[in-house]
Amino acid sequence: MSTIVVTQKNGVACIGADTLSCLGSLRQKAQHVVNKTKITKIADTHIGLTGTSASLVVMNSYFSNPDRPRDFSSCEAIFETFRHSHAWLKAEYFMAAMPDKGEEYETTQFYGLLANPHGIFAIYSYRSAQQFHKFWAAGSGRDYALGAMQAAYDKCKTAEEVARAGLEAAAEFDSASSAPFEIHNVPLLSAEKPKPKRTRKK
């Protein structure tokens, strides 16, 4: 498992992840692994995924085709992006779309968080998304990260400080999360100041 966090504050969105990989009880720390990242960048969006490391490989491969739709600007756009990808993921990547017969819909095996100029979001296996005002976390260290970010949010000056507080708590208490951390900052569009209008002199 993993710990992924997103937060936004003072006009900046931030996404961060730990860098530990686990194979059962075997822990692979960052100094032993070359491709240790759990975050990828697609256009202007950073996406962090939890669960199997194959998910990040599949996502990168799928979106390497520039003709495939990619709009992560809202919950509705994220849903449509992954709805379009679902059939391709089954056909080209042999995705197990319905591991449980009790599922209401076929599942897309992506779960994680994303940050872009439009805000911070969570993505779920039914292709739905949620957008957040302040912060959120995913993965096995989620509960520790959420508690730490809740306590730190008002005290911190930047989104990155909030993200680090969450990741440090997860690394301290969650056996499947560990430093060092990977962190990316993204300026929010809503933080851009409008240009002053020129007035005509009579």
Side-chain angles (χ1 to χ4, degrees):
M1 293 297 287
S2 312
T3 301
I4 315 285
V5 300
V6 287
T7 184
Q8 61 182 36
K9 189 167 188 176
N10 295 332
V12 175
C14 181
I15 185 170
D18 80 297
T19 52
L20 178 69
S21 299
C22 295
L23 297 171
S25 61
L26 178 67
R27 288 158 53 92
Q28 295 178 321
K29 291 192 174 183
Q31 64 263 34
H32 301 295
V33 182
V34 174
N35 54 330
K36 56 186 175 289
T37 182
K38 299 176 184 179
I39 300 174
T40 190
K41 188 179 182 185
I42 300 168
D44 62 356
T45 298
H46 288 87
I47 302 176
L49 298 179
T50 66
T52 175
S53 58
S55 294
L56 202 66
V57 177
V58 168
M59 181 174 284
N60 282 328
S61 176
Y62 173 79
F63 284 111
S64 66
N65 184 337
D67 294 330
R68 287 173 172 163
R70 65 205 64 206
D71 186 349
F72 305 103
S73 60
S74 68
C75 293
E76 295 77 15
I78 293 169
F79 174 79
E80 293 298 335
T81 293
F82 286 109
R83 184 178 68 84
H84 182 275
S85 73
H86 186 76
W88 289 96
L89 294 174
K90 288 197 299 178
E92 292 188 4
Y93 299 96
F94 313 104
M95 181 182 68
M98 192 175 289
D100 183 351
K101 292 182 180 179
E103 298 279 0
E104 295 90 346
Y105 300 93
E106 289 188 352
T107 56
T108 300
Q109 304 298 335
F110 291 147
Y111 175 61
L113 304 174
L114 62 87
N116 61 35
H118 302 277
I120 54 175
F121 303 83
I123 51 176
Y124 302 106
S125 61
Y126 283 162
R127 297 161 292 283
S128 61
Q130 281 184 311
Q131 186 171 8
F132 300 95
H133 290 296
K134 293 182 178 180
F135 57 82
W136 197 246
S140 56
R142 176 188 65 182
D143 293 349
Y144 305 114
L146 287 173
M149 290 191 291
Q150 172 67 20
Y153 191 85
D154 290 337
K155 301 174 185 177
C156 293
K157 293 182 179 179
T158 67
E160 183 170 335
E161 288 178 316
V162 180
R164 286 190 181 278
L167 291 170
E168 286 170 0
E172 182 71 22
F173 297 107
D174 176 48
S175 62
S177 302
S178 179
F181 310 125
E182 179 183 5
I183 295 177
H184 302 275
N185 291 292
V186 183
L188 292 168
L189 288 175
S190 59
E192 293 182 357
K193 295 181 180 179
K195 295 179 180 179
K197 293 181 179 179
R198 293 182 180 180
T199 55
R200 293 174 112 189
K201 292 182 180 180
K202 293 184 179 179

